Structures are given as structure tokens and as C-alpha cells.
Amino acid sequence: MGKIILTGDRPTGRLHVGHYVGSLRRRVELQNSGEYEKIFIMIADAQALTDNFENPEKVRQNIIEVALDYLSCGLDPAVSTLFIQSQIPELTELTFYYMNLVTVSRLQRNPTVKAEIQMRNFEASIPVGFFTYPISQASDITAFKATTVPVGEDQLPMIEQTREIVRKFNSIYGEALVEPDVLLPENEACMRLPGIDGKAKMSKSLGNCIYLADDPEDVRKKIMSMYTDPLHLMVSDPGHLEGNTVFTYLDAFCRPEHFERYLPEYGNLDELKAHYQRGGLGDVKVKKFLNKIMQEVLEPIRARRKEYEKDIPAVYEILKAGSEKAREEAARTLEDVKAAMRINYFDDQEMIRAQADRYERN
Ligand code: TRP
């Protein structure tokens, strides 16, 4: 059986460079590797509504932003199916049956749900839709018989929950579902790219993001203002790498060829780090290097975005065609699920005949 990818994002804002190193770059590589039989990339609007139900307009307006970010990063709609979650009603139906397989206490123990309940001050009264979104996420994944789910570390509890549902379903009803594996980002820096202020996470509300759609001057300004090492006051002072945002970004973005192109006096990142720690290397020089790298990475993304921005209706056509294709796939799985649960009454001629026989005999 071929390998199948499913992953996605909530459309609550434009995507930033944290999304890029944490998942988008990898998705494009996986797409271009040719190793996957099918690739599904989902804009998770229904999931976004579980904690934005009072603000559907925000979700609605951000679908196009996320779609443009996907396309501009190099996701190719001819290879990867891009679709919108809410347009696949089969996902909701699957969720309803999976709900029987999960307990309230299991959901309460889900670390991601726990953290989000705290973050959103839901403690006193948790909306049921929000509380059960891990079950809906299991539907997203299993509907496409995904073998591989490339996501960030924060999604691990969701994949574990999905695997439990699959095992339980298969053991009760027979092997209809596929247990997925997670695929995590390549290194620590990619997993948790901090904001430009050094804070743990990039977030719109903190105003510390570099967006994929930022123009070159904005990117440069943001990089030049990055948090580094508060103890590194003079160039000659020894510098520290821990918590130094510029070096974390280099860990995520820098490749050996960047030294040849922009900083040939160093052979690799280890040499640059060693010099910084020794003293004698100024922050501005390192920031300028990072800026050159990031402009190089972001330039083709910006250029492609500009092209797609010229024809927004065409982007919606891509999403529509993708949603139709995704729906066919999910419908097939739903049929398998109903057959396994034996709630496919009208297809079950054998059952109908047996019951007819019984009544005839009486
Ligand atoms: N929970 C994911 C996020 O917040 C989005 C998502 C929804 C997803 N369904 C998914 C990711 C299925 C991977 C697989 O980013």
C-alpha cells in the first residue's frame, strides 16, 4: 500500500516563518520526493471555528491567506490536493461514530486540549465542540487513510488520540482504518522557532512574527531588531548562544552553501558559533548574514504569492476542485466504516434476505 499524507492548518491568520520551517518547507520536499501516493493539505476552518465560533468572519477571511501561503511555498495543486475541511460533510459523520470510542476523561487528559483550555479561559465552561476537536481531527486523518502526518510537536497528543481511536475501532468492528505515523520537523529550532523578541512562540498578538508575505524591508527591520544576547555588550565580549534568537534562526534556515555565498570567511555554522562564543564577532554582522539567507528563502515565495494574488477566483477554483476530490476520498472511507459497523443496511442484501426468510417461516 502506498504512503498517504494528510496535514493542515487552522485559518486564523497569515502563515509565518515558524510555519515554514516547522512544516511548510517539509511538505513541499515530501511532495517533490515522489514517494507519496497521495497528499492532502487541509484548511481546517471547522476546527478553527471550535474556538472562534463567535468570529466566523475571521476564519472566512483567512482561508484565502492560508491558501496563498500554501501555493506560494510551492505546494502544487496538480500533485497535492488542497481543500477546505467544512466542505467535506463525511468528516462530521465519522466524528459522530468515533465519539463512542473516546471517554470524557481521556479528552481531559489530552495535553494540548488542557493547555488550550487554560489559554482561552475555558476552565469554567468548556464548549463541547472545542472539547471534542481531537476526535474530529482523528476523522480528518483517518478519512484519507493517511499513513503519515507531518506536524509540529504540539500536535503529538492529537496523533496519539487518533491512533487510539483507530486501534479501538479496528478491534471492535474489524480492520477498516489505518494507524498513522507522525513526522516531526528536522531539528529543535524548526520545532519551536521563537518570535523575533526571543519569546517562546511566534504569535500575532505578541507582534513578534515574520510573515511569509512580509516585504523585504519589513523582514530586514525585524531581523535587525531581533533579540540576541543581553550580555554581549561589546563586540569583543564573549557571546552566548542559548536563547539567542539570531542563532536559533540560523539553525533553522542556514545551509552550508549560504556560507560560500554570503560569508566565505567561515566554513560552517559551528565555526561562526565558536567565534561568537569566543568574542570578537558582532551581532550586526550575524544579523546581516541571517537577513541575506532569509531574503533568499523568502524571495521566490513572495514572487509566487504575487502571481496568485492576481487571480483570487482561480485560487478558489483550486480549493473547490481539491475539496471535490477530497470528498470522494472521504466518502469511500465512510462507506468502509459503515460497512465495518454494519450500518450499511441497504447494501446488505444478505441481512435483508435472512430477515425476510425468518418472517416467511413464521
Ligand atoms: N490542529 C492543527 C493545528 O492546529 C490543524 C489540523 C486539523 C490538523 N486537522 C488536522 C493537522 C489533521 C494535521 C492533521 O494546526
Short mmCIF file of all heavy atoms in Angstrom, two decimals, residues 261-297:
data_model
loop_
_atom_site.label_atom_id
_atom_site.label_comp_id
_atom_site.label_asym_id
_atom_site.label_seq_id
_atom_site.Cartn_x
_atom_site.Cartn_y
_atom_site.Cartn_z
N ARG A 261 28.25 31.62 -0.28
CA ARG A 261 27.69 32.78 -0.97
C ARG A 261 27.85 34.08 -0.19
O ARG A 261 28.18 35.10 -0.76
CB ARG A 261 26.19 32.56 -1.23
CG ARG A 261 25.92 31.89 -2.54
CD ARG A 261 24.54 32.22 -3.09
NE ARG A 261 23.47 31.49 -2.43
CZ ARG A 261 23.20 30.22 -2.62
NH1 ARG A 261 23.98 29.47 -3.38
NH2 ARG A 261 22.18 29.64 -2.00
N TYR A 262 27.62 34.04 1.11
CA TYR A 262 27.49 35.31 1.85
C TYR A 262 28.54 35.54 2.94
O TYR A 262 28.65 36.65 3.44
CB TYR A 262 26.10 35.40 2.50
CG TYR A 262 24.96 35.25 1.52
CD1 TYR A 262 23.99 34.28 1.71
CD2 TYR A 262 24.87 36.09 0.41
CE1 TYR A 262 22.94 34.14 0.82
CE2 TYR A 262 23.82 35.95 -0.49
CZ TYR A 262 22.85 34.98 -0.28
OH TYR A 262 21.82 34.84 -1.16
N LEU A 263 29.23 34.49 3.38
CA LEU A 263 30.17 34.66 4.49
C LEU A 263 31.31 33.66 4.36
O LEU A 263 31.52 32.80 5.23
CB LEU A 263 29.40 34.44 5.81
CG LEU A 263 29.83 35.19 7.07
CD1 LEU A 263 29.86 36.69 6.86
CD2 LEU A 263 28.92 34.83 8.23
N PRO A 264 32.10 33.81 3.25
CA PRO A 264 33.07 32.75 2.93
C PRO A 264 34.20 32.63 3.94
O PRO A 264 34.92 31.64 3.91
CB PRO A 264 33.59 33.16 1.54
CG PRO A 264 33.23 34.59 1.38
CD PRO A 264 32.04 34.86 2.23
N GLU A 265 34.34 33.63 4.84
CA GLU A 265 35.45 33.50 5.80
C GLU A 265 35.17 32.45 6.88
O GLU A 265 36.04 32.11 7.66
CB GLU A 265 35.81 34.86 6.42
CG GLU A 265 34.70 35.58 7.15
CD GLU A 265 33.93 36.61 6.31
OE1 GLU A 265 33.54 36.28 5.16
OE2 GLU A 265 33.68 37.72 6.81
N TYR A 266 33.94 31.91 6.88
CA TYR A 266 33.63 30.80 7.79
C TYR A 266 33.24 29.58 6.97
O TYR A 266 32.59 29.71 5.93
CB TYR A 266 32.46 31.14 8.73
CG TYR A 266 32.75 32.33 9.62
CD1 TYR A 266 32.45 33.63 9.19
CD2 TYR A 266 33.33 32.16 10.87
CE1 TYR A 266 32.71 34.72 9.98
CE2 TYR A 266 33.60 33.26 11.68
CZ TYR A 266 33.29 34.53 11.24
OH TYR A 266 33.56 35.61 12.03
N GLY A 267 33.64 28.40 7.46
CA GLY A 267 33.33 27.17 6.72
C GLY A 267 31.91 26.69 6.96
O GLY A 267 31.27 26.13 6.09
N ASN A 268 31.44 26.91 8.18
CA ASN A 268 30.10 26.40 8.52
C ASN A 268 29.59 27.10 9.78
O ASN A 268 30.28 27.93 10.38
CB ASN A 268 30.13 24.88 8.73
CG ASN A 268 31.16 24.48 9.77
OD1 ASN A 268 31.27 25.11 10.82
ND2 ASN A 268 31.93 23.44 9.48
N LEU A 269 28.38 26.71 10.18
CA LEU A 269 27.72 27.37 11.31
C LEU A 269 28.47 27.14 12.63
O LEU A 269 28.51 28.03 13.48
CB LEU A 269 26.26 26.87 11.40
CG LEU A 269 25.32 27.62 12.33
CD1 LEU A 269 25.32 29.12 12.08
CD2 LEU A 269 23.89 27.07 12.18
N ASP A 270 29.07 25.97 12.77
CA ASP A 270 29.82 25.70 14.01
C ASP A 270 30.97 26.68 14.18
O ASP A 270 31.23 27.17 15.28
CB ASP A 270 30.35 24.26 14.02
CG ASP A 270 29.22 23.27 14.24
OD1 ASP A 270 28.18 23.68 14.80
OD2 ASP A 270 29.37 22.09 13.83
N GLU A 271 31.65 26.99 13.08
CA GLU A 271 32.77 27.95 13.16
C GLU A 271 32.27 29.34 13.54
O GLU A 271 32.89 30.04 14.34
CB GLU A 271 33.50 28.04 11.81
CG GLU A 271 34.39 26.84 11.53
CD GLU A 271 35.09 26.94 10.18
OE1 GLU A 271 35.25 28.07 9.64
OE2 GLU A 271 35.47 25.87 9.64
N LEU A 272 31.15 29.72 12.97
CA LEU A 272 30.58 31.04 13.27
C LEU A 272 30.18 31.11 14.75
O LEU A 272 30.47 32.09 15.45
CB LEU A 272 29.36 31.30 12.39
CG LEU A 272 28.77 32.71 12.47
CD1 LEU A 272 29.66 33.70 11.71
CD2 LEU A 272 27.35 32.76 11.89
N LYS A 273 29.55 30.05 15.23
CA LYS A 273 29.14 29.99 16.64
C LYS A 273 30.35 30.05 17.56
O LYS A 273 30.34 30.77 18.57
CB LYS A 273 28.38 28.69 16.91
CG LYS A 273 26.95 28.67 16.36
CD LYS A 273 26.31 27.32 16.66
CE LYS A 273 24.85 27.31 16.20
NZ LYS A 273 24.26 25.96 16.34
N ALA A 274 31.40 29.33 17.20
CA ALA A 274 32.61 29.30 18.04
C ALA A 274 33.21 30.70 18.16
O ALA A 274 33.61 31.14 19.24
CB ALA A 274 33.63 28.33 17.45
N HIS A 275 33.25 31.43 17.03
CA HIS A 275 33.80 32.79 17.05
C HIS A 275 32.95 33.70 17.95
O HIS A 275 33.46 34.49 18.74
CB HIS A 275 33.88 33.34 15.63
CG HIS A 275 34.65 34.63 15.54
ND1 HIS A 275 34.74 35.36 14.39
CD2 HIS A 275 35.36 35.33 16.48
CE1 HIS A 275 35.47 36.45 14.61
NE2 HIS A 275 35.85 36.45 15.88
N TYR A 276 31.63 33.55 17.83
CA TYR A 276 30.71 34.37 18.64
C TYR A 276 30.95 34.12 20.13
O TYR A 276 31.03 35.05 20.93
CB TYR A 276 29.27 34.02 18.26
CG TYR A 276 28.23 34.97 18.82
CD1 TYR A 276 28.00 36.21 18.24
CD2 TYR A 276 27.46 34.61 19.93
CE1 TYR A 276 27.04 37.08 18.75
CE2 TYR A 276 26.49 35.47 20.45
CZ TYR A 276 26.29 36.70 19.85
OH TYR A 276 25.34 37.55 20.36
N GLN A 277 31.09 32.84 20.47
CA GLN A 277 31.29 32.48 21.89
C GLN A 277 32.63 32.96 22.42
O GLN A 277 32.76 33.34 23.57
CB GLN A 277 31.18 30.96 22.07
CG GLN A 277 29.74 30.47 21.95
CD GLN A 277 29.63 28.96 22.03
OE1 GLN A 277 30.21 28.25 21.22
NE2 GLN A 277 28.88 28.46 23.00
N ARG A 278 33.63 32.94 21.54
CA ARG A 278 34.97 33.39 21.91
C ARG A 278 35.00 34.89 22.15
O ARG A 278 35.76 35.42 22.94
CB ARG A 278 35.91 33.10 20.72
CG ARG A 278 37.08 32.23 21.06
CD ARG A 278 38.02 31.93 19.91
NE ARG A 278 37.90 32.56 18.64
CZ ARG A 278 37.48 31.92 17.54
NH1 ARG A 278 37.08 30.66 17.60
NH2 ARG A 278 37.45 32.55 16.37
N GLY A 279 34.17 35.61 21.43
CA GLY A 279 34.23 37.07 21.45
C GLY A 279 34.86 37.58 20.17
O GLY A 279 35.61 36.86 19.52
N GLY A 280 34.51 38.84 19.80
CA GLY A 280 35.11 39.42 18.59
C GLY A 280 34.19 39.37 17.38
O GLY A 280 34.58 39.80 16.30
N LEU A 281 32.99 38.83 17.54
CA LEU A 281 32.03 38.81 16.43
C LEU A 281 30.78 39.57 16.85
O LEU A 281 30.15 39.25 17.85
CB LEU A 281 31.67 37.35 16.08
CG LEU A 281 30.58 37.14 15.02
CD1 LEU A 281 30.95 37.81 13.70
CD2 LEU A 281 30.34 35.65 14.80
N GLY A 282 30.46 40.61 16.07
CA GLY A 282 29.34 41.49 16.45
C GLY A 282 27.99 40.96 15.98
O GLY A 282 27.90 40.25 14.98
N ASP A 283 26.94 41.32 16.72
CA ASP A 283 25.58 40.89 16.37
C ASP A 283 25.16 41.37 14.98
O ASP A 283 24.48 40.66 14.25
CB ASP A 283 24.57 41.44 17.39
CG ASP A 283 24.62 40.67 18.71
OD1 ASP A 283 25.01 39.48 18.68
OD2 ASP A 283 24.29 41.25 19.75
N VAL A 284 25.57 42.61 14.64
CA VAL A 284 25.11 43.17 13.37
C VAL A 284 25.58 42.31 12.19
O VAL A 284 24.83 42.06 11.25
CB VAL A 284 25.59 44.63 13.22
CG1 VAL A 284 25.32 45.15 11.81
CG2 VAL A 284 24.89 45.51 14.25
N LYS A 285 26.80 41.84 12.27
CA LYS A 285 27.33 41.01 11.19
C LYS A 285 26.52 39.71 11.04
O LYS A 285 26.18 39.30 9.93
CB LYS A 285 28.81 40.69 11.47
CG LYS A 285 29.47 39.91 10.37
CD LYS A 285 30.99 39.97 10.47
CE LYS A 285 31.60 39.14 9.34
NZ LYS A 285 33.07 39.15 9.39
N VAL A 286 26.20 39.11 12.19
CA VAL A 286 25.43 37.86 12.16
C VAL A 286 24.01 38.12 11.64
O VAL A 286 23.47 37.35 10.85
CB VAL A 286 25.39 37.20 13.56
CG1 VAL A 286 24.76 35.82 13.46
CG2 VAL A 286 26.77 37.11 14.17
N LYS A 287 23.45 39.23 12.08
CA LYS A 287 22.09 39.58 11.62
C LYS A 287 22.06 39.83 10.12
O LYS A 287 21.12 39.45 9.43
CB LYS A 287 21.59 40.82 12.37
CG LYS A 287 21.15 40.52 13.80
CD LYS A 287 20.75 41.79 14.52
CE LYS A 287 20.12 41.46 15.87
NZ LYS A 287 19.80 42.69 16.62
N LYS A 288 23.09 40.50 9.61
CA LYS A 288 23.14 40.78 8.16
C LYS A 288 23.22 39.48 7.37
O LYS A 288 22.60 39.34 6.31
CB LYS A 288 24.33 41.69 7.82
CG LYS A 288 24.06 43.14 8.18
CD LYS A 288 25.18 44.04 7.68
CE LYS A 288 24.78 45.51 7.81
NZ LYS A 288 25.98 46.39 7.78
N PHE A 289 23.98 38.53 7.92
CA PHE A 289 24.09 37.21 7.28
C PHE A 289 22.72 36.53 7.27
O PHE A 289 22.26 36.03 6.24
CB PHE A 289 25.13 36.39 8.06
CG PHE A 289 25.30 34.98 7.57
CD1 PHE A 289 25.50 34.70 6.22
CD2 PHE A 289 25.30 33.91 8.47
CE1 PHE A 289 25.69 33.39 5.77
CE2 PHE A 289 25.48 32.60 8.04
CZ PHE A 289 25.68 32.34 6.69
N LEU A 290 22.06 36.55 8.44
CA LEU A 290 20.73 35.93 8.52
C LEU A 290 19.76 36.60 7.54
O LEU A 290 18.97 35.93 6.87
CB LEU A 290 20.19 36.01 9.95
CG LEU A 290 18.76 35.48 10.13
CD1 LEU A 290 18.67 34.00 9.82
CD2 LEU A 290 18.26 35.74 11.56
N ASN A 291 19.86 37.92 7.45
CA ASN A 291 18.96 38.64 6.54
C ASN A 291 19.16 38.18 5.09
O ASN A 291 18.20 37.96 4.36
CB ASN A 291 19.19 40.15 6.67
CG ASN A 291 18.30 40.94 5.72
OD1 ASN A 291 17.09 40.75 5.71
ND2 ASN A 291 18.89 41.80 4.91
N LYS A 292 20.43 38.01 4.68
CA LYS A 292 20.70 37.57 3.30
C LYS A 292 20.07 36.20 3.06
O LYS A 292 19.46 35.95 2.02
CB LYS A 292 22.20 37.52 3.05
CG LYS A 292 22.81 38.91 2.96
CD LYS A 292 24.11 38.88 2.18
CE LYS A 292 24.64 40.29 1.96
NZ LYS A 292 25.88 40.55 2.73
N ILE A 293 20.22 35.32 4.04
CA ILE A 293 19.66 33.97 3.89
C ILE A 293 18.14 34.02 3.79
O ILE A 293 17.53 33.42 2.90
CB ILE A 293 20.06 33.07 5.09
CG1 ILE A 293 21.57 32.88 5.12
CG2 ILE A 293 19.34 31.74 5.03
CD1 ILE A 293 22.07 32.18 6.37
N MET A 294 17.54 34.79 4.71
CA MET A 294 16.07 34.79 4.74
C MET A 294 15.48 35.47 3.52
O MET A 294 14.44 35.06 3.01
CB MET A 294 15.57 35.39 6.05
CG MET A 294 15.94 34.45 7.19
SD MET A 294 15.06 34.68 8.72
CE MET A 294 13.38 34.56 8.24
N GLN A 295 16.16 36.51 3.03
CA GLN A 295 15.66 37.15 1.79
C GLN A 295 15.73 36.15 0.64
O GLN A 295 14.81 36.07 -0.18
CB GLN A 295 16.47 38.40 1.45
CG GLN A 295 16.44 39.50 2.50
CD GLN A 295 15.09 40.19 2.66
OE1 GLN A 295 14.14 39.92 1.93
NE2 GLN A 295 14.97 41.06 3.66
N GLU A 296 16.81 35.36 0.61
CA GLU A 296 16.96 34.37 -0.46
C GLU A 296 15.84 33.33 -0.41
O GLU A 296 15.28 32.92 -1.43
CB GLU A 296 18.33 33.69 -0.35
CG GLU A 296 18.54 32.60 -1.38
CD GLU A 296 19.84 31.82 -1.17
OE1 GLU A 296 20.92 32.44 -1.04
OE2 GLU A 296 19.78 30.57 -1.15
N VAL A 297 15.49 32.91 0.84
CA VAL A 297 14.45 31.90 1.01
C VAL A 297 13.07 32.49 0.69
O VAL A 297 12.25 31.85 0.03
CB VAL A 297 14.47 31.36 2.46
CG1 VAL A 297 13.24 30.52 2.75
CG2 VAL A 297 15.74 30.56 2.72
#
